[in-house]
Amino acid sequence: MQKVEGTEILVSLKLMQLLRKIKAPLFAYDLILTWAAECTAFQHNFVPCFTRRETIVHHMTSMFGLGNLNYEITKVPLGGIPSSANVVHFDFISQLKSLLVDKDLMKSDNLILNDDNPFSSYIPKENELIDDIHSGMWYQKTSKNPRYSSETNFLLPIVIYTDKTLIGSHLSSFGLEPILFTTSLFKRSVRAHPRAWRHLGFIPDLCLTKAEKEENKKTGGRSLSNQNYHKILEKILESLKKVQDQGGFLYELTLNGVTKKMNIVTPISIILGDTVSSDNLCCKWTSNIRSIDTRISRACSLSSIHADNPSAKCIFIDKGSVTDHIQILKETDPDVEIISRYQMYSVLNILYDMDFGANDGGVFTATPVDVLHALRKGVLEYIIKEFVKILDPGCRAYLDDFSKNMCKHQKQRSKDWFPRTSFYDGITNVKKLTGQDIFGICFTSLLCLLTLSDEWKLKFGTLLAIKSGVNSHVTALSLWTQLFEKLLILDSWSRKEDGMWSCNLTTSNRMKRLFHQKLEDVMVSISRICPREDGLGWKLIKFHELMHLTEYIQLYGSPANYNTGFCESNHKWISKNPAKNTQRIKSKFEKQVADRVVENVVLDMLHVIVENSFFDDEKKVIQIIIPPRAKGCKMTLHLTNHNNDFQNISLKCISRSPNKNEFGVGMMNVLADQMIQWNVNKLDVYSEYEHCNNLTFRSHSNYRQFGPWRDWVMINFGDHGMFPALLFGFIINPYDINDIKVVFQTTKTECKQSSMLTKTYILEMDPITNQPLYRIESVKVLDHVCWCMTYGGMSQHVLLFHDATKWGSFMRHCGTMSFLGSAHHFVKDTN
């Protein structure tokens, strides 16, 4: 053990006390000492009169000319209580330039550029799939518009995001609603990083009491709150609108190492946000009354009464028609508050006059459906609640016990690539579900239904049959199994990262119709199999807006482009962390958050500048290639004779002790045969095999004292095909260390296509002893890890799931549900 000197004990103790005082995480100790060691290596000496943090940040900001990132605070007059608000807003051009000068962000690999001329508009390649925003019809039409297509113009579409978040505890929370932007010049993977976003301003939290809200509504009418919101928004978007009205701004843009003076034009492509935020931006008000006169969505004209009908035809709203209608009403009645025809507040909205490129719908079309809130935290969450509500206490307890056992007995590497199944407290009482939780509960519920015994099939099926209005419990189980699968497929399809369909206009229109029909089939299945009686039933905006997906895909590319999941994750870095470093005083809150935001941007930019200035020497990256090897916990077997007598076997391990009972008679026999073949009386069985640094196959009976971890792997048997197998260890040829073999239990011929996403196999058993049959082969037969689950008692059925990253590709095969057939049978569309 390393010796610790007295001085080191004193210094370490002071550091640990300091970290505990500021409530720093435990790993901060090692990070700080690593930093201190690097400072010593640079021969830097710390002195008692050190420079304060604020001083050195200000000095570096001035030194590198980054002072233009600061903000302004403007007093904006409001109606009602309060009479005004101090609004923090940033200059759009300065914030945008800070993105364009960031050398890390502006690397060619991070940008969507024209291969022939990076300063001209992006042109999709032949047979390219619709994926990022620039591959959609909106960008292609906008780039051909003479207003943007001149040789001196550079089209730089702007993506805006807004969503209110709470800072602090439940009793003393502050609302923070930042208005953020980035550009679709960055690839989607780059836009998912918080560093690629900049602030335009903050919508201040007015902190109104219930009495003040009622007074405002009484004196100012129903639209007062929305009027105040848009007055504040107008000030925040003022600098962006000014640039758009001027036709852009001149800037020396550097792309692919070439610098050229261009006129940067910045139309808004899309505005990201949840349903409430998007409705607020469009002045849409929501009614809980569903009638022929109420409009369900901000984007289309469909009446609320038809919102639960996926076949209902809706027409996207034209911005000109809306503004013309408002103007006519204003001339007749200047005090009109509600535009009943469009279910809108009659307020001055700066977004009506802003540039949205080739988008006739303006802000109404530029606020696409957010699949996180519409699907996971919308339709999927409602279905999960309905499913749990159907079940009696016994079935709920079974479902909870099933999910708990999944945590204990299903450890395998491939689980990281599948939806979450680890619910240590069960799934029927989980509160405050995240989108990932909901997706995982949907997957766990499917697993439960697929692996029920005959007794539980009857219990579950009988309850589900009542809900779905069918007579057979077998049919009900089949329908709910299909429903959960379709929901998983729909969710995965909406998050595809490898393109949706061809950019070619003719092909695109045909594929849009095809997938719209598939989407309609899924929504029909939802309303038919899981009818909802609470509230407004399925007459919900989240239900209907999913039918807009295909239209938005053609316009703006994959739904992953307007999924706010990554934006909400970025809230932690962009908003919450800066807000936590404030005094939490209401009058200073937004200002102090803005100070921290500016500091963070400056520090990120300084890091890039300083790194490039002081460390110009090219860093050589040495890649160490580790050859394939067996490693991990080791069990040593000693063979007492060559007659397969295992009565005297000694076991020895060099790390955590494995469970020797895992070595049954069948496995001992195959290991003994291998030892006889190699003519050895001693053999080490390892728990892990590392394949060229990239992947570790593991088979451990008590991994880190948390139970067994056994990977399932697809074994390549050549002409006989590929079958899933359960790993039990790795052995090395004592005469050739490169000859590594794997011990596994494989499966027999595939039984059937259990469902759309699964196949069922049976574990291979010895026909004489009816014990598991083990094999030993070279590790070369290992193909890839897979996700499997055993069930069915002695017969040991194996349920194999297809690769979760490919689930979205099954969307085109999703046909209308059949109310006939046996359980687990999926009826494909025959059209």
Side-chain angles (χ1 to χ4, degrees), residues 29 86 97 146 155 207 261 265 334 656 658 693 699 723 797 829:
Y29 177 87
N86 291 324
K97 286 182 178 179
L155 178 59
C207 297
K261 194 169 187 178
V265 287
R656 296 179 177 87
N693 295 349
S699 176
F723 294 90
H797 288 79
D829 186 4

Side-chain angles (χ1 to χ4, degrees), residues 379-391 399 441-452 456-489 522 524-533 538 754-757 801 816-827:
V379 172
L380 259 67
E381 186 171 12
Y382 286 129
I383 290 175
I384 291 296
K385 290 180 178 179
E386 291 293 321
F387 176 67
V388 172
K389 188 169 67 174
I390 294 167
L391 305 178
L399 187 59
I441 291 176
C442 186
F443 180 59
T444 306
S445 301
L446 172 63
L447 287 174
C448 181
L449 294 182
L450 285 171
T451 56
L452 290 173
W456 285 102
K457 282 180 182 178
L458 178 61
K459 293 181 179 180
F460 273 81
T462 302
L463 296 170
L464 295 175
I466 297 173
K467 179 69 174 179
S468 302
V470 295
N471 297 324
S472 168
H473 76 277
V474 176
T475 302
L477 278 175
S478 175
L479 293 176
W480 276 88
T481 299
Q482 296 169 41
L483 178 59
F484 280 126
E485 283 203 317
K486 284 201 167 186
L487 294 173
L488 294 173
I489 290 171
V522 175
V524 167
S525 302
I526 292 171
S527 60
R528 192 179 298 176
I529 296 173
C530 184
R532 188 169 177 268
E533 299 173 357
W538 287 116
S754 303
S755 61
M756 193 73 167
L757 301 179
F801 268 84
T816 307
M817 294 293 181
S818 170
F819 284 81
L820 301 173
S822 60
H824 305 167
H825 179 66
F826 191 96
V827 179

Side-chain angles (χ1 to χ4, degrees), residues 161-324:
Y161 171 67
T162 176
D163 185 27
K164 188 172 183 178
T165 187
L166 292 178
I167 309 296
S169 64
H170 176 69
L171 296 177
S172 60
S173 60
F174 287 78
L176 184 67
E177 187 172 356
I179 307 295
L180 305 162
F181 79 93
T182 186
T183 170
S184 59
L185 177 67
F186 297 137
K187 293 179 179 178
R188 183 170 59 242
S189 58
V190 179
R191 299 198 301 273
H193 196 280
R195 188 169 160 185
W197 292 81
R198 292 292 185 267
H199 286 75
L200 282 170
F202 297 102
I203 303 289
D205 187 356
L206 301 180
C207 297
L208 298 178
T209 65
K210 184 177 180 181
E212 289 172 334
K213 290 179 181 178
E214 291 177 351
E215 178 64 20
N216 279 347
K217 189 174 181 180
K218 179 180 177 181
T219 58
R222 295 172 60 182
S223 64
L224 181 60
S225 175
N226 194 257
Q227 287 177 6
N228 289 338
Y229 178 89
H230 281 276
K231 286 179 181 179
I232 295 170
L233 186 65
E234 181 175 3
K235 174 53 64 176
I236 292 174
L237 297 179
E238 185 178 61
S239 58
L240 170 58
K241 187 176 187 303
K242 182 178 179 181
V243 171
Q244 291 184 340
D245 291 343
Q246 293 174 348
F249 66 95
L250 293 177
Y251 179 74
E252 291 189 353
L253 182 64
T254 301
L255 299 172
N256 289 352
V258 179
T259 301
K260 187 175 180 180
K261 194 169 187 178
M262 302 292 292
N263 182 52
I264 309 296
V265 287
T266 56
I268 299 173
S269 56
I270 52 177
I271 303 178
L272 309 180
D274 59 15
T275 303
V276 175
S277 298
S278 297
D279 281 353
N280 227 0
L281 291 172
C282 297
C283 303
K284 172 79 170 58
W285 64 275
T286 305
S287 171
N288 291 327
I289 302 173
R290 295 295 181 250
S291 69
I292 196 70
D293 297 324
T294 58
R295 185 168 62 95
I296 184 68
S297 170
R298 63 187 172 274
C300 73
S301 58
L302 186 74
S303 64
S304 301
I305 199 170
H306 299 302
D308 59 349
N309 180 10
S311 302
K313 304 299 181 184
C314 61
I315 301 173
F316 272 35
I317 285 179
D318 180 83
K319 183 190 71 173
S321 301
V322 175
T323 53
D324 289 346

Side-chain angles (χ1 to χ4, degrees), residues 121-122 133-134 136-143 155 157 555:
S121 300
Y122 176 78
I133 293 176
H134 286 203
M137 295 302 297
W138 175 86
Y139 179 86
Q140 296 305 312
K141 289 183 177 180
T142 302
S143 64
L155 178 59
L555 280 174

